[in-house]
Amino acid sequence: MAKRIDVKDLNVYYSKFLAVEDISINIEPKSVTAFIGPSGCGKSTFLRTLNRMHEVIPGGRVEGEVLLDGDDLYGPGVDPVTVRSQIGMVFQRPNPFPTMSIKDNVLAGVKLNGKKISRSDADSLVEKSLRGANLWNEVKDRLDKPGSGLSGGQQQRLCIARTIAVKPDVILMDEPCSALDPISTLAIEDLINELKSEFTVVIVTHNMQQAARVSDRTAFFNIAGTGKPGKLIEYNETAAIFSNPEQKATEDYVSGRFG
Amino acid sequence: MSVMTANTQAAQPTPPSRKRNSLSKGKLPRWAVPATAAGAIIVGAAFSTLTGFSVATFAIYSAVLFVIAGTVLTSVVEGRRQGRNAMWTYLIYGAFLLALIPLASVLYTVLEKGLPGMNSHFLFSSMNGVTGAVDNQSVADGAPVIGGAYHALLGTLMITLWATLISVPVGMLTAVYLVEYGKNGVLAKAITFFVDVMTGIPSIVAGLFAAAFFGLLLGPNARMGIVAAVALSVLMIPTVVRSTEEMLKIVPNELREASYALGVRRWRTILKVVIPTAISGIASGVTLAIARVIGETAPILVTAGIASSINTNVFANWMSTLPTFIYYQILTPTSPTNIDPSVQRAWAAALLLILMVMALNLGARLIASLFAPKKGR
Ligand SMILES: Nc1ncnc2c1ncn2[C@@H]1O[C@H](COP(=O)(O)OP(=O)(O)OP(=O)(O)O)[C@@H](O)[C@H]1O
Ligand SMILES: [Mg+2]
């Protein structure tokens, strides 16, 4: 059910401050798209506009269109809650719910919404999601233990399991590996490769090799200076961005000659 | 296990030597501080005897001597910085002990005077039918005191329960509004301001307010338990709001965002993620708020009056609570000629009240640890 995302002329504001300016980008279904760029250029800000998480921040607002398979997320009468149940998000820091067991964390999207689910359906959903997040074998014996008792990498995979359990069309990930060790990072990168067969994945990363390893297409964002808005500089096949970029700024950034 | 230890010890290149560690040179030996203390106590006792012995001067002389001697000794042996460190350490411990004195003496007095009257007769009978003549008789016969605080105990429980039932929902919803919805809006600022003002309301004013309010509704002399409960909730609500607010604020925003990102609505997020995460702190805050109002006297007198018989209906008739019971037993002893039975009952009730407050405080800790998010594997 992976869906495509088309962004047209998007401006993103924090109250009066224009953080991201004039972005247009087309994200293919069942692909992995990486956002790279220097700190503060608005990658997280832009990513959060793709599932209307941006407006959770006081003063957060956007101008322009974000189309999910042709339907505008910001159209009149669109409920942000519906949007978020179709476009899931994994955060930089693993954030399992501390009051819930591993199992309840996976079922959070169902249970918090007050939906009824039979015990056998719940068990199979938990197993399927945890297998999907490559975590099943590590936690299958302690599903009733608190999620906060897992290692950082396991917690992050638990958060991914929680996200795929609500069966979204798109998964957004904001630096999902930045708090993890290299081995957990590899586990998550493998996972992203597998998720691609079912979901559209968008990932923000500061790790150039990671972008090169996991993504099909890469978008490079940049900022002219502090207080200026971030912009999309170049968007292309990942191989082209890293070996043969069109823009000088992109080349400087990916070759490490930047800032 | 023991094999492991043996191995590690065998692997040590040099066995730990017994000679004095050169790194601890210029330090006072362990026994120096107790020795100084002992010396200070002896000299203090001597000084105190010179000026006519009393416990107070003995304690003061010893403490002052100890601080001076300890500081000087440490300065000389270990250097100025260590000397100053020693002085402040001793002074802080001294302040701590000083602060403990009133607490310990209150506990001691209440136990000493309250225990004789504390028995099952006192706990389970009211003052119904106990008159001055009854007290005079039991004093004359040397018989045990008749009459107890059962009605006041029930009154305290009922009134506090109703006050809690009123103030917890109001206070918690206010806090949820302030933290989750109001943010820094005008209404939220106004509410915060009025909650702050409410915190400072003298309890008698809260009592007068409740009495006047119900007086308007039900006519003058509308005194009953529920009026007292309203008066107490005026005092409780700001505490509940404040403590709940603090607890909700420390719930990490990431948890809210995680919930929103799963497509969960705001009110469900608050109800099922935010409040459960904060519940242990909220529950102990509520318990402490109860402990704060359970000993109120003045607002009860003007709202629920005073009674000597059992009344468990908060919606009709006057009611006593433990504090008003104590107040009346002391101020208007049942028998003006033989006040001892009344005094004994008052102290026993005071002991009961202190025990209840202690139980509430312990309960708050228990609740906090029971509800705390589980850690570990
Ligand atoms: N809550 C906020 N309120 C106001 N301004 C914000 C807020 N969050 C971010 N900004 C601003 O928006 C701009 C973009 O920030 P953003 O977090 O999107 O950058 P980023 O590219 O994700 O950086 P990083 O790589 O360090 O995560 C920055 O100038 C930042 O100061
Ligand atoms: Mg970011």
Side-chain angles (χ1 to χ4, degrees):
Chain A
M1 303 164 300
K3 291 187 177 170
R4 60 177 297 116
I5 293 182
D6 299 286
V7 180
K8 287 186 191 158
D9 309 326
L10 193 77
N11 292 328
V12 190
Y13 294 86
Y14 288 103
S15 300
K16 293 217 172 65
F17 171 58
L18 176 60
V20 176
E21 187 178 27
D22 199 22
I23 306 254
S24 297
I25 193 171
N26 308 311
I27 294 169
E28 297 297 323
K30 297 196 178 184
S31 71
V32 177
T33 305
F35 291 174
I36 60 171
S39 198
C41 68
K43 304 179 297 294
S44 303
T45 305
F46 176 58
L47 190 75
R48 289 166 62 95
T49 61
L50 299 183
N51 70 342
R52 297 192 63 167
M53 282 298 286
H54 178 62
E55 63 206 65
V56 170
I57 296 167
R61 62 192 172 87
V62 304
E63 292 165 355
E65 286 184 346
V66 179
L67 308 177
L68 179 69
D69 265 6
D71 300 323
D72 188 4
L73 302 186
Y74 291 92
V78 175
D79 185 349
V81 170
T82 321
V83 172
R84 290 177 205 141
S85 63
Q86 295 184 20
I87 307 180
M89 183 158 210
V90 175
F91 297 83
Q92 181 167 2
R93 277 205 297 170
N95 52 3
F97 298 115
T99 51
M100 298 184 194
S101 65
I102 293 174
K103 185 177 166 187
D104 286 343
N105 261 290
V106 178
L107 293 174
V110 178
K111 286 202 166 166
L112 291 180
N113 272 320
K115 290 193 202 121
K116 291 277 174 292
I117 181 168
S118 75
R119 179 176 277 259
S120 58
D121 285 356
D123 287 345
S124 64
L125 178 62
V126 168
E127 177 167 353
K128 186 165 170 277
S129 310
L130 284 173
R131 281 193 192 282
N134 284 339
L135 190 62
W136 174 251
N137 285 328
E138 288 158 72
V139 301
K140 62 171 184 270
D141 301 322
R142 45 172 163 142
L143 292 176
D144 293 320
K145 299 280 159 55
S148 43
L150 298 173
S151 78
Q154 291 171 327
Q155 287 187 19
Q156 192 63 301
R157 278 179 281 152
L158 179 61
C159 293
I160 295 176
R162 177 173 76 184
T163 305
I164 59 186
V166 295
K167 305 195 181 74
D169 304 314
V170 180
I171 298 180
L172 310 175
M173 298 186 174
D174 192 353
E175 301 185 41
C177 302
S178 64
L180 305 182
D181 70 295
I183 293 179
S184 309
T185 301
L186 279 182
I188 291 192
E189 287 180 8
D190 288 345
L191 178 58
I192 291 171
N193 260 320
E194 292 167 22
L195 291 177
K196 186 164 88 166
S197 59
E198 260 188 88
F199 305 97
T200 307
V201 179
V202 183
I203 174 174
V204 172
T205 179
H206 273 291
N207 182 330
M208 234 65 82
Q209 286 84 14
Q210 183 170 61
R213 279 194 300 262
V214 300
S215 70
D216 303 308
R217 314 197 93 209
T218 297
F220 171 62
F221 292 78
N222 204 352
I223 186 171
T226 38
K228 300 263 171 51
K231 287 187 178 167
L232 176 61
I233 303 299
E234 190 169 351
Y235 177 47
N236 208 338
E237 300 289 328
T238 298
I241 291 280
F242 283 97
S243 57
N244 190 14
E246 283 168 14
Q247 302 286 330
K248 177 85 168 55
T250 315
E251 187 179 351
D252 287 351
Y253 186 76
V254 297
S255 61
R257 277 198 295 271
F258 183 92
Chain B
M1 202 40 209
S2 58
V3 178
M4 284 262 300
T5 341
N7 274 343
T8 26
Q9 271 179 357
Q12 294 275 324
T14 44
S17 70
R18 283 192 180 265
K19 79 171 170 42
R20 255 194 95 180
N21 186 336
S22 63
L23 292 176
S24 69
K25 214 184 281 171
K27 294 270 177 221
L28 279 174
R30 277 260 188 91
W31 47 263
V33 174
T36 321
I41 288 172
I42 294 167
V43 183
F47 276 1
S48 176
T49 322
L50 283 181
T51 54
F53 185 83
S54 83
V55 179
T57 53
F58 168 48
I60 293 172
Y61 287 153
S62 310
V64 171
L65 279 170
F66 174 69
V67 172
I68 294 174
T71 308
V72 170
L73 194 65
T74 320
S75 309
V76 170
V77 180
E78 300 188 354
R80 259 175 57 125
R81 197 191 66 78
Q82 292 296 341
R84 242 187 267 166
N85 180 37
M87 181 179 83
W88 284 108
T89 312
Y90 299 150
L91 287 180
I92 286 166
Y93 278 123
F96 169 67
L97 289 178
L98 222 55
L100 272 185
I101 290 174
L103 181 65
S105 86
V106 165
L107 274 182
Y108 177 77
T109 320
V110 175
L111 277 174
E112 187 196 22
K113 303 202 171 173
L115 273 180
M118 185 60 97
N119 51 42
S120 64
H121 176 78
F122 172 79
L123 283 178
F124 295 109
S125 50
S126 74
M127 289 297 285
N128 199 9
V130 180
T131 58
V134 176
D135 273 0
N136 288 342
Q137 189 62 43
S138 59
V139 170
D141 298 350
V145 173
I146 308 276
Y150 185 52
H151 61 301
L153 179 60
L154 283 182
T156 293
L157 291 178
M158 298 299 294
I159 290 178
T160 321
L161 177 75
W162 276 95
T164 312
L165 288 182
I166 298 170
S167 32
V168 168
V170 174
M172 269 183 70
L173 289 176
T174 310
V176 165
Y177 174 79
L178 288 178
V179 178
E180 304 291 334
Y181 292 94
K183 300 285 189 249
N184 283 320
V186 180
L187 184 56
K189 281 201 181 120
I191 292 176
T192 309
F193 175 74
F194 284 114
V195 167
D196 282 348
V197 172
M198 265 174 92
T199 316
I201 288 184
S203 56
I204 180 73
V205 176
L208 286 176
F209 156 75
F213 179 70
F214 278 83
L216 276 180
L217 289 182
L218 307 173
N221 286 328
R223 289 195 185 167
M224 49 196 183
I226 194 72
V227 185
V230 169
L232 291 190
S233 44
V234 171
L235 299 171
M236 260 181 91
I237 286 171
T239 330
V240 175
V241 173
R242 277 277 166 225
S243 60
T244 311
E245 201 185 346
E246 293 309 315
M247 288 303 135
L248 293 180
K249 271 189 194 157
I250 59 175
V251 173
N253 224 1
E254 288 146 34
L255 293 182
R256 296 185 181 89
E257 295 206 331
S259 178
Y260 296 149
L262 290 171
V264 180
R265 290 194 183 281
R266 174 102 81 101
W267 68 272
R268 281 190 179 277
T269 301
I270 294 169
L271 205 65
K272 301 211 167 164
V273 175
V274 179
I275 292 183
T277 307
I279 191 71
S280 80
I282 295 175
S284 59
V286 166
T287 324
L288 293 177
I290 298 174
R292 165 169 153 29
V293 297
I294 203 169
E296 285 295 347
T297 318
I300 307 281
L301 282 178
V302 296
T303 51
I306 186 90
S308 58
S309 55
I310 296 168
N311 171 17
T312 51
N313 183 3
V314 290
F315 297 104
N317 299 326
W318 293 19
M319 243 182 177
S320 266
T321 62
L322 287 171
T324 56
F325 175 83
I326 298 169
Y327 177 80
Y328 256 78
Q329 288 296 321
I330 293 292
L331 207 67
T332 60
T334 316
S335 159
T337 45
N338 281 311
I339 64 165
D340 285 350
S342 282
V343 171
Q344 182 185 326
R345 282 192 289 259
W347 279 106
L351 177 58
L352 189 57
L353 194 57
I354 286 197
L355 289 179
M356 284 173 79
V357 173
M358 278 186 165
L360 278 172
N361 278 297
L362 289 179
R365 282 164 183 263
L366 198 69
I367 288 169
S369 66
L370 278 184
F371 283 121
K374 313 278 176 298
K375 286 263 154 57
R377 326 211 129 211

